[in-house]
Amino acid sequence: MRTILAALLPLAVSAPADEGMWLFNRPPVEPVKEKYGFEITPEWLDHLREASVRFNNGGSGSFVSKQGLILTNHHVGAGLIEKLSTPEHNLLEDGYLAKTPADELPCPGLELNVLRSIEDVTRRVEAAVTPDQSPAEASAARRAVIAAIEKESMDATGLRSDVVTLYLGGAYHLYRYQRYTDVRLVFVPDVKAAAFGGDADNFEYPRYCLDCCFFRAYVDGEPADTPDFLKWSATGPAEGELVFTSGHPGRTDRSNTLEELKHLRDEGFPYRMEQIYRAETVLRAWADRDRENARRAKQAIVGTQNGRKAIGGMLNGLLDPAVMAAKSESETELRATEAAAFDEVARVQDELSEIAVRLDLLEGGSAFGSGLFYVARTLLRAEAEAEKPDGERLPEFQDSSRLSLELDLFADEPVYKDLETVRMAASLTFLCAKLGADDPLVKKVLAGKSPDERAAELVDGTQLDDIPLRRQLYENGVAASDDPMVALARLVDDEARALRAEAEALDERDAQAHAKIARAKFEQQGDSVYPDATFTLRLSYGVAKGYGDVPWCTNYGGMLERHEKQGGVSPFDFSPQWAAHAGDLDPGVPLDFVSTNDITGGNSGSPVVNRAGELVGLIFDGNLPSLVSDFAYTEDRGRAVSVHSAGILEAMRKVYGATRILEELGF
Amino acid sequence: MRTILAALLPLAVSAPADEGMWLFNRPPVEPVKEKYGFEITPEWLDHLREASVRFNNGGSGSFVSKQGLILTNHHVGAGLIEKLSTPEHNLLEDGYLAKTPADELPCPGLELNVLRSIEDVTRRVEAAVTPDQSPAEASAARRAVIAAIEKESMDATGLRSDVVTLYLGGAYHLYRYQRYTDVRLVFVPDVKAAAFGGDADNFEYPRYCLDCCFFRAYVDGEPADTPDFLKWSATGPAEGELVFTSGHPGRTDRSNTLEELKHLRDEGFPYRMEQIYRAETVLRAWADRDRENARRAKQAIVGTQNGRKAIGGMLNGLLDPAVMAAKSESETELRATEAAAFDEVARVQDELSEIAVRLDLLEGGSAFGSGLFYVARTLLRAEAEAEKPDGERLPEFQDSSRLSLELDLFADEPVYKDLETVRMAASLTFLCAKLGADDPLVKKVLAGKSPDERAAELVDGTQLDDIPLRRQLYENGVAASDDPMVALARLVDDEARALRAEAEALDERDAQAHAKIARAKFEQQGDSVYPDATFTLRLSYGVAKGYGDVPWCTNYGGMLERHEKQGGVSPFDFSPQWAAHAGDLDPGVPLDFVSTNDITGGNSGSPVVNRAGELVGLIFDGNLPSLVSDFAYTEDRGRAVSVHSAGILEAMRKVYGATRILEELGF
């Protein structure tokens, strides 16, 4: 795949690119040795793996002390921090520092995972599928054997056990994780410093963000014992220095065929962007009405804006004819030998297109934008799925997923019914726009009312914001419930499930075709090939390096300049605490830096380490030119963006007086 | 039509509703006399007509002194005021008061019209169309006779002469206007007071906006002589008082059939909302990057936000099944006698649906969002159309439109190439989303580049921001020009024109069918029927009246309360000038009020007058429940929102010290 992807680069580079999101059981030992003269040893790798943390809300982190102290991004923790806030104590606006261990704040609903082992189970999974099975049968068989493997592993080890599909079905690896569910907030800077420049500067560079925050993992009410933590480097990286990241890139599509990319470019991404533009506008309009609205909707807006730039950037990449031409050329050879598989992939895409919108609306839930609908559907399906053998259930209801499911379902988070109503009304209106108000299912959903009226009725009427009631319905079933949100979930469930089954059969055909293509690639290129990202632990390497006229790092002096040039108004303003101490900050201390590491969404919060395995930075973003890397890595101008380890120390000392944490870090 | 529309009201009311946007040559003498005991005399009506002003950028106004002083809304003038602003002197932010006549600022590109006479030319227009003509021939014949009527009238009177199509083709009236093209800014409050609450409070009520501004019409360099001005009432209306508005409602769709409303509900409005959500998000994101960006994009953002609420409100109305059911019932009788016409209308809608998106993108220009593309197309078509006889030209290039066209084309307004690039890139991306990047025309438009690259190339490369060059190309033709924007206009012109021709043929069929339905209505209901709005002068009547718990008027005390409750942050903040004098304002003086007058977009800036013909208020908005009135008037909760005449005086005195203007108004 390296060879193929290299062809995608518009500019040929003499040395091989710093490309790759490498599996920890297939690390890039040779290329790193050749290019940088550094030997990745098993011990070095094991230490890094044990120090790496997955945030199940979609990010990464690392242990930075032996007492379970975890470093991640502010924006990874922000959703949790918002939930810990009240109108009186807004931890996003004010930041938070736990003065003593007793002040560390539990975060309900958060699960962290630390990868303990990887086992290749490809043969066992493949053996379950036979050529005479229909796609639906093959999919069910694969799901059943995966569930069995996961259950066996969990029963045997007590560890969370996930079978991960790699190479779009070319391989299956069993990942076993230590699970931490008692996680507490230790220190977080105020959001104005963490996300300085807000959406305006998001994905841009130069950048001036202190996008960090600290949690602590607890076990049995005591700080977790984490001997394999990363030692903090006070100096950070030098320009041109080799650095590694260890994190959980969520998804890439580098193995996609040209036809798949065309569907994404012309259908998938435009549809998603349409939803994002709508959601961002509706949420901002509601937030603008009232200060308390703004507080309640803040994180939802930030999430939408981030998605707009991320997906918009990927779409822009695909709209570059040069990228598509290179992709086309790169697959010419494989297409010649694997024409049938390529054609099958294309056919699957065409068939998926026909159901994609209905699938997203009804099964993806885009028609029902309130989190309370998700609760209702989960309760409804939990009851129905419980009656089936484990391997035949929808994966999220299998025994191996139960703990995570319940953690999520019973998380005691604030539910703002006014915000839920706004989201529900917007999504029901979107449903009408997409299917037409005379669609029979739409008419049933709206029950003779306008989307606004119906949304108000559903959200006002439901009692699913009551956690004890959720527990009771989860334990006793919802058959007797007349909750309106449960009734809605029931109303659409047949069609939603049918669409999902249809999509799964198509996915299975897609997986089989891609597995064929992947095998052909292996034959051509050996296993010096990394798979597309799957929100599992990956290693990447690169160097701290600018591009064009853009310097490799920024500093506090640059932050103050941008603040002043923009008149100090939002999103370039400072919190009172920051404003009071800005003069104490050394303007020469580095704040953010860029490197050529191959990352994507999900890598947020990943540690950046040097050859000695010391923490020198904290990944928090890619720049705009890097966004096309979902389809093809480029180091021409594409860069990973990190907070500099020295920058974090400077602010903790001069602005936040976080002495207790600094001491724990060894300072 | 009154009878039919009454059936649309969900709640029957005992007295006839205050419905109607009445023609000045068919005024509602009887209903007003019956319900309110007031007799509308020809003199009363002529005086009001002579005092009423149309803003050709899409609003209304009135003369309020005998020296051509004009009152309208801040938001009607805002686009002009923005163009008069510079980074150093931001007239939107600071407001503006011309201390002496010499300080009154010319507004390039603005044309005002005052209606002088109306003549019914229905028979002559209808006589030009014969049953044997195809729709395209009939359309051309009608266009030719209309152009001839307009040219004859203009030659004979020197007045702007427009034939207006009423009742969707049921009647044709010739409107003759006095034209004013030298218009100067006299006084405008700062935008924070004018649009207090910004988008957040737009279309909401209670409301606290000083949405006013004053221009003056000049003739031959001197203030215009306007003896028929409206006398300003210092007390304004009392609760329950009968009031009239005289203004230019832009468009209503009350004659549309159920099938047409369904197309709007399921296709037209969702498509428009998709564009609005995209435009608002893209513009706000760009504005957020930099203070100067924000200044440049301000009015474009306000326009988009206003459209979002207006069209979103209409869509919400159509998504109310009760509204659609009432519409269906209301047309049952007519449908029985005019089935063929109703079916034809439905067929036309289906055929329009097939070309609607391409039509909007290529001919509507949604694919090419820069104003410089509009300039290029105008130059290209001006040359081509000049070779045809007047009656065969596209209407905007006929002799009767030449002055307005040239005024618009050569207006010396700032062009911000950075903003133009952002808009062009967003619209080219939208083009790709809608037609797919592999569409042959899309590929030609993009010329092998991504939308972003292509937008930059087009906007950087064009020289059409140079007004003398525009004049030169207009006079000598663009055949020899290699300007990239002209080349783009040329590239899409064949398909754009073909789509327009197709749409016009469909419109013609639609007009013929609607004319049949309209004639059947006349037979049923006589001519006590007002036509849908056409951006021509209309009279409406109503009373100053609250709804539910909502009071009929607000005051300065309420404004200060809302300011304080929202912490004084944008959009609830005050300008320095306002903040300095807020304490001087009498909290009991009325600021805004609501009335049952039947208005819509285009009525912005309309005077509200009492029985004595005195100015008591200034229309600036409808509330959210009124938005469905595009399809069916409702006075249950729907209301017109005005600035109170006493509120304007109070601010001019206490905050702005506008003594010169107050004296001219008689105070």
Side-chain angles (χ1 to χ4, degrees):
Chain A
M1 191 181 264
R2 279 271 310 285
T3 319
I4 289 174
L5 284 162
L8 281 177
L9 297 175
L11 295 173
V13 286
S14 51
D18 294 335
E19 177 180 342
M21 299 173 177
W22 301 89
L23 298 171
F24 269 66
N25 53 341
R26 289 178 185 175
V29 176
E30 284 312 312
V32 171
K33 196 171 173 186
E34 258 174 48
K35 188 167 176 185
Y36 296 106
F38 175 74
E39 175 121 14
I40 297 173
T41 64
E43 296 71 29
W44 186 93
L45 207 59
D46 284 348
H47 173 72
L48 185 56
R49 174 180 53 68
E50 292 282 339
S52 300
V53 176
R54 181 167 79 170
F55 276 67
N56 271 5
N57 60 343
S60 301
S62 60
F63 288 119
V64 290
S65 88
K66 64 175 192 255
Q67 292 95 28
L69 188 67
I70 297 164
L71 173 69
T72 184
N73 292 143
H74 180 282
H75 79 265
V76 169
L80 303 156
I81 297 162
E82 183 178 49
K83 286 167 193 163
L84 294 173
S85 296
T86 62
E88 295 73 36
H89 296 100
N90 189 326
L91 306 193
L92 280 174
E93 291 299 327
D94 306 337
Y96 183 75
L97 173 64
K99 296 231 169 68
T100 70
D103 297 321
E104 299 183 355
L105 301 175
C107 298
L110 176 62
E111 175 179 332
L112 305 185
N113 294 151
V114 174
L115 180 61
R116 287 280 184 250
S117 72
I118 307 177
E119 185 186 331
D120 190 336
V121 294
T122 308
R123 287 193 185 178
R124 186 167 165 201
V125 173
E126 283 184 347
V129 177
T130 56
D132 57 312
Q133 288 167 332
S134 74
E137 287 167 345
S139 178
R142 186 176 288 107
R143 208 156 68 192
V145 70
I146 285 174
I149 294 170
E150 290 175 345
K151 187 165 169 26
E152 278 168 29
S153 169
M154 198 178 65
D155 290 348
T157 64
L159 295 173
R160 170 172 177 152
S161 300
D162 298 345
V163 171
V164 180
T165 304
L166 300 167
Y167 305 103
L168 294 168
Y172 296 87
H173 292 181
L174 171 63
Y175 278 54
R176 292 194 186 90
Y177 296 101
Q178 177 85 37
R179 187 198 309 256
Y180 295 95
T181 54
D182 181 355
V183 184
R184 306 187 191 175
L185 178 63
V186 177
F187 165 64
V188 58
D190 64 88
V191 67
K192 290 183 194 303
F196 180 78
D199 170 61
D201 277 8
N202 191 15
F203 289 111
E204 310 281 344
Y205 190 79
R207 193 77 174 274
Y208 311 93
C209 291
L210 187 70
D211 193 352
C212 68
C213 108
F214 290 84
F215 291 93
R216 192 187 304 282
Y218 279 72
V219 175
D220 299 331
E222 294 295 325
D225 187 24
T226 51
D228 272 305
F229 71 93
L230 300 179
K231 192 171 168 297
W232 195 290
S233 161
T235 52
E239 184 169 9
E241 184 174 337
L242 172 67
V243 289
F244 298 87
T245 68
S246 167
H248 303 83
R251 179 194 167 127
T252 55
D253 295 286
R254 295 181 188 173
S255 303
N256 279 11
T257 69
L258 180 66
E259 281 305 313
E260 284 175 302
L261 295 191
K262 283 188 178 182
H263 276 274
L264 272 176
R265 180 195 66 187
D266 293 341
E267 297 166 22
F269 284 155
Y271 175 77
R272 204 54 75 193
M273 289 304 287
E274 185 186 345
Q275 289 179 307
I276 286 172
Y277 287 132
R278 172 183 293 258
E280 180 172 343
T281 309
V282 168
L283 288 169
R284 284 187 81 168
W286 185 73
D288 288 345
R289 289 278 301 151
D290 189 275
R291 279 202 288 180
E292 173 60 9
N293 291 5
R295 190 189 69 78
R296 293 178 178 196
K298 170 95 179 161
Q299 280 315 301
I301 291 172
V302 168
T304 309
Q305 291 179 323
N306 190 63
R308 186 229 316 146
K309 282 205 172 181
I311 295 179
M314 290 192 278
L315 175 56
N316 279 353
L318 293 187
L319 284 170
D320 182 349
V323 168
M324 299 301 269
K327 179 81 190 181
S328 173
E329 202 187 316
S330 77
E331 67 182 31
T332 310
E333 212 174 316
L334 268 172
R335 174 180 285 281
T337 58
E338 301 297 327
F342 275 87
D343 291 348
E344 172 73 351
V345 168
R347 264 194 308 275
V348 166
Q349 284 302 313
D350 290 341
E351 291 179 41
L352 259 177
S353 287
E354 281 170 34
I355 61 166
V357 171
R358 263 191 119 80
L359 175 70
D360 177 68
L361 289 167
L362 303 181
E363 175 64 17
S366 293
F368 316 110
S370 165
L372 295 170
F373 174 82
Y374 166 79
V375 170
R377 164 174 283 177
T378 303
L379 292 171
L380 178 78
R381 290 188 173 176
E383 183 177 10
E385 295 295 302
E387 292 166 12
K388 303 176 187 171
D390 193 52
E392 290 176 22
R393 294 180 202 157
L394 297 173
E396 64 269 32
F397 295 99
Q398 289 171 352
D399 289 341
S400 57
S401 302
R402 185 187 299 160
L403 282 177
S404 305
L405 179 87
E406 293 175 0
L407 193 67
D408 194 26
L409 185 60
F410 303 131
D412 191 9
E413 301 164 352
V415 172
Y416 303 114
K417 283 204 162 185
D418 51 0
L419 176 56
E420 296 303 305
T421 305
V422 166
R423 303 177 85 157
M424 195 70 177
S427 57
L428 288 176
T429 305
F430 184 64
L431 171 72
C432 293
K434 287 290 138 186
L435 303 188
D438 285 342
D439 178 273
L441 187 71
V442 174
K443 286 175 93 161
K444 274 198 274 182
V445 165
L446 292 181
K449 303 195 176 54
S450 74
D452 285 4
E453 285 174 314
R454 180 67 170 140
E457 178 184 70
L458 284 163
V459 177
D460 289 350
T462 186
Q463 297 184 298
L464 295 182
D465 50 331
D466 177 354
I467 307 289
L469 176 71
R470 280 187 211 174
R471 279 196 192 279
Q472 189 195 315
L473 292 170
Y474 183 70
E475 280 154 24
N476 305 333
V478 296
S481 168
D482 60 356
D483 188 281
M485 207 64 91
V486 172
L488 176 64
R490 204 179 276 131
L491 181 71
V492 300
D493 210 45
D494 283 351
E495 184 169 346
R497 279 175 177 267
L499 286 162
R500 177 166 171 170
E502 212 175 323
E504 279 171 355
L506 288 167
D507 282 347
E508 174 60 27
R509 283 170 52 194
D510 193 60
Q512 292 188 4
H514 268 294
K516 273 185 207 150
I517 298 173
R519 276 190 292 272
K521 272 191 200 167
F522 283 139
E523 279 164 32
Q524 284 179 16
Q525 300 157 42
D527 71 3
S528 68
V529 178
Y530 66 91
D532 265 318
T534 46
F535 198 41
T536 51
L537 196 65
R538 302 296 178 92
L539 182 74
S540 80
Y541 60 91
V543 291
K545 188 180 168 186
Y547 52 100
D549 297 335
V550 183
W552 77 282
C553 88
T554 66
N555 58 31
Y556 280 108
M559 182 194 212
L560 290 174
E561 257 176 51
R562 183 139 173 78
H563 169 78
E564 276 159 30
K565 182 162 177 238
Q566 295 305 321
V569 299
S570 175
F572 305 100
D573 52 336
F574 291 152
S575 69
Q577 190 169 11
W578 193 275
H581 296 285
D584 303 335
L585 290 164
D586 180 345
V589 167
L591 178 47
D592 296 340
F593 71 95
V594 285
S595 66
T596 59
N597 295 69
D598 191 359
I599 61 150
T600 192
N603 268 113
S604 286
S606 298
V608 183
V609 301
N610 59 18
R611 293 173 195 230
E614 294 167 335
L615 184 124
V616 296
L618 170 64
I619 294 283
F620 73 97
D621 210 356
N623 65 356
L624 284 174
S626 78
L627 287 170
V628 70
S629 75
D630 193 52
F631 312 103
Y633 172 84
T634 164
E635 65 184 44
D636 179 25
R637 303 176 62 83
R639 290 292 181 279
V641 189
S642 299
V643 194
H644 194 284
S645 62
I648 299 175
L649 295 182
E650 178 74 2
M652 287 172 80
R653 274 188 194 118
K654 305 279 182 71
V655 179
Y656 298 103
T659 321
R660 185 173 74 95
I661 319 305
L662 284 162
E663 278 170 10
E664 186 172 345
L665 295 177
F667 300 104
Chain B
M1 191 181 264
R2 279 272 309 287
T3 319
I4 289 172
L5 284 162
L8 281 175
L9 296 176
L11 295 174
V13 284
S14 49
D18 294 334
E19 177 180 343
M21 300 173 178
W22 300 89
L23 297 171
F24 269 66
N25 53 342
R26 289 180 186 174
V29 176
E30 283 312 311
V32 171
K33 196 170 171 185
E34 257 175 48
K35 188 166 176 185
Y36 295 107
F38 176 73
E39 174 122 14
I40 298 174
T41 64
E43 296 70 31
W44 187 93
L45 207 59
D46 285 347
H47 174 72
L48 185 57
R49 173 180 53 69
E50 291 284 338
S52 299
V53 177
R54 181 168 79 172
F55 276 68
N56 270 5
N57 61 343
S60 301
S62 58
F63 289 119
V64 290
S65 87
K66 62 175 191 258
Q67 293 95 27
L69 188 66
I70 296 164
L71 173 69
T72 184
N73 292 143
H74 179 282
H75 80 266
V76 169
L80 303 156
I81 297 163
E82 184 178 48
K83 286 166 192 162
L84 294 173
S85 296
T86 61
E88 294 73 37
H89 296 100
N90 190 327
L91 306 193
L92 281 173
E93 291 298 327
D94 305 336
Y96 183 75
L97 173 64
K99 295 232 170 69
T100 69
D103 297 321
E104 300 183 355
L105 301 176
C107 298
L110 176 61
E111 175 181 331
L112 305 186
N113 295 153
V114 174
L115 180 61
R116 287 280 183 251
S117 71
I118 307 177
E119 185 185 332
D120 189 336
V121 293
T122 308
R123 286 192 186 176
R124 183 165 166 203
V125 173
E126 282 184 347
V129 178
T130 57
D132 57 311
Q133 288 169 330
S134 73
E137 287 165 347
S139 177
R142 186 175 287 108
R143 211 156 65 194
V145 71
I146 285 173
I149 294 170
E150 290 175 347
K151 188 166 169 19
E152 277 167 32
S153 168
M154 198 177 65
D155 291 349
T157 64
L159 296 172
R160 172 171 176 154
S161 301
D162 299 347
V163 171
V164 180
T165 303
L166 299 168
Y167 305 102
L168 294 168
Y172 297 87
H173 293 182
L174 171 62
Y175 279 54
R176 292 196 187 88
Y177 296 101
Q178 176 85 36
R179 187 197 308 258
Y180 295 95
T181 54
D182 181 355
V183 184
R184 305 187 191 175
L185 178 63
V186 177
F187 165 64
V188 58
D190 64 87
V191 67
K192 290 184 193 306
F196 180 78
D199 170 62
D201 277 7
N202 192 14
F203 289 111
E204 311 280 347
Y205 191 80
R207 191 79 172 275
Y208 311 92
C209 291
L210 187 70
D211 193 352
C212 68
C213 117
F214 291 83
F215 290 93
R216 190 187 307 280
Y218 279 73
V219 176
D220 299 330
E222 295 295 324
D225 186 27
T226 51
D228 272 305
F229 69 93
L230 301 179
K231 191 170 171 298
W232 195 289
S233 160
T235 51
E239 184 170 7
E241 184 175 338
L242 171 67
V243 288
F244 298 86
T245 68
S246 166
H248 304 82
R251 179 194 167 127
T252 54
D253 296 286
R254 295 181 188 173
S255 303
N256 278 10
T257 68
L258 179 67
E259 280 306 311
E260 285 176 301
L261 295 191
K262 283 187 177 183
H263 276 273
L264 271 176
R265 179 194 65 187
D266 293 342
E267 297 166 23
F269 284 155
Y271 174 77
R272 205 52 76 193
M273 289 303 287
E274 184 186 348
Q275 289 180 307
I276 286 172
Y277 287 132
R278 172 184 293 257
E280 179 171 345
T281 310
V282 167
L283 287 170
R284 283 187 83 168
W286 185 73
D288 288 345
R289 289 278 298 150
D290 189 274
R291 279 201 289 177
E292 174 59 10
N293 292 6
R295 190 189 69 79
R296 294 178 177 196
K298 169 95 180 163
Q299 281 315 302
I301 291 171
V302 168
T304 309
Q305 290 178 324
N306 190 63
R308 186 229 315 145
K309 282 205 172 179
I311 296 180
M314 290 191 278
L315 176 56
N316 279 354
L318 293 188
L319 284 169
D320 182 348
V323 168
M324 299 300 268
K327 179 81 190 177
S328 173
E329 203 187 315
S330 76
E331 68 183 29
T332 310
E333 210 173 317
L334 268 173
R335 174 180 287 280
T337 57
E338 302 298 324
F342 275 88
D343 289 350
E344 172 73 350
V345 168
R347 265 194 308 273
V348 165
Q349 285 301 313
D350 290 341
E351 290 179 44
L352 258 177
S353 287
E354 280 169 34
I355 61 165
V357 171
R358 262 189 121 80
L359 174 72
D360 176 69
L361 289 166
L362 303 181
E363 176 63 18
S366 293
F368 316 110
S370 165
L372 295 170
F373 174 82
Y374 166 78
V375 171
R377 163 173 285 178
T378 302
L379 293 172
L380 178 77
R381 291 189 172 175
E383 184 177 10
E385 295 295 302
E387 293 166 12
K388 303 178 186 168
D390 193 53
E392 289 176 22
R393 294 181 202 156
L394 297 172
E396 64 270 32
F397 296 98
Q398 289 172 352
D399 289 340
S400 57
S401 302
R402 186 188 296 159
L403 282 175
S404 306
L405 180 86
E406 293 175 1
L407 194 66
D408 193 27
L409 186 60
F410 303 131
D412 191 9
E413 301 164 352
V415 172
Y416 303 114
K417 283 204 162 184
D418 50 359
L419 175 56
E420 295 304 304
T421 306
V422 166
R423 302 177 86 159
M424 194 71 177
S427 57
L428 288 175
T429 304
F430 184 65
L431 172 71
C432 293
K434 287 289 137 186
L435 302 188
D438 286 342
D439 177 272
L441 187 71
V442 174
K443 287 175 94 163
K444 275 197 273 180
V445 164
L446 292 181
K449 303 193 178 56
S450 73
D452 286 3
E453 285 174 312
R454 180 66 171 141
E457 179 183 68
L458 285 163
V459 177
D460 289 350
T462 186
Q463 296 183 299
L464 295 182
D465 50 331
D466 178 354
I467 307 288
L469 177 71
R470 278 187 211 173
R471 278 194 191 280
Q472 190 194 314
L473 290 170
Y474 183 69
E475 281 155 22
N476 305 333
V478 296
S481 168
D482 60 355
D483 189 282
M485 207 62 90
V486 173
L488 175 64
R490 204 180 276 131
L491 182 71
V492 301
D493 210 45
D494 283 350
E495 184 168 347
R497 279 176 177 267
L499 286 161
R500 178 166 170 170
E502 214 174 323
E504 280 170 355
L506 289 167
D507 282 348
E508 174 60 28
R509 284 170 50 194
D510 193 59
Q512 293 188 3
H514 268 293
K516 272 185 209 151
I517 298 173
R519 275 190 292 272
K521 272 191 201 169
F522 284 139
E523 280 164 31
Q524 284 181 15
Q525 299 157 40
D527 72 0
S528 68
V529 179
Y530 66 92
D532 266 316
T534 47
F535 197 42
T536 51
L537 195 66
R538 302 294 179 92
L539 181 74
S540 81
Y541 60 91
V543 290
K545 187 179 169 188
Y547 51 100
D549 296 335
V550 182
W552 78 281
C553 88
T554 66
N555 58 30
Y556 280 108
M559 182 196 213
L560 290 173
E561 255 176 51
R562 182 138 174 80
H563 168 78
E564 275 159 32
K565 181 159 179 239
Q566 294 305 322
V569 300
S570 174
F572 305 99
D573 52 337
F574 290 153
S575 69
Q577 190 170 9
W578 193 276
H581 296 285
D584 304 335
L585 290 163
D586 179 346
V589 168
L591 178 48
D592 296 340
F593 71 94
V594 285
S595 66
T596 58
N597 295 69
D598 191 359
I599 60 150
T600 190
N603 269 113
S604 287
S606 298
V608 183
V609 301
N610 58 19
R611 295 173 192 230
E614 294 167 333
L615 185 125
V616 296
L618 170 65
I619 293 285
F620 73 98
D621 210 356
N623 66 354
L624 284 174
S626 78
L627 288 169
V628 71
S629 75
D630 193 50
F631 311 104
Y633 172 84
T634 162
E635 64 183 46
D636 179 24
R637 302 176 64 82
R639 288 292 181 278
V641 189
S642 299
V643 194
H644 193 284
S645 62
I648 299 176
L649 295 183
E650 177 75 2
M652 286 172 81
R653 276 188 193 119
K654 305 280 182 70
V655 179
Y656 298 104
T659 320
R660 185 172 75 93
I661 319 306
L662 285 162
E663 280 170 10
E664 188 172 345
L665 295 177
F667 301 103

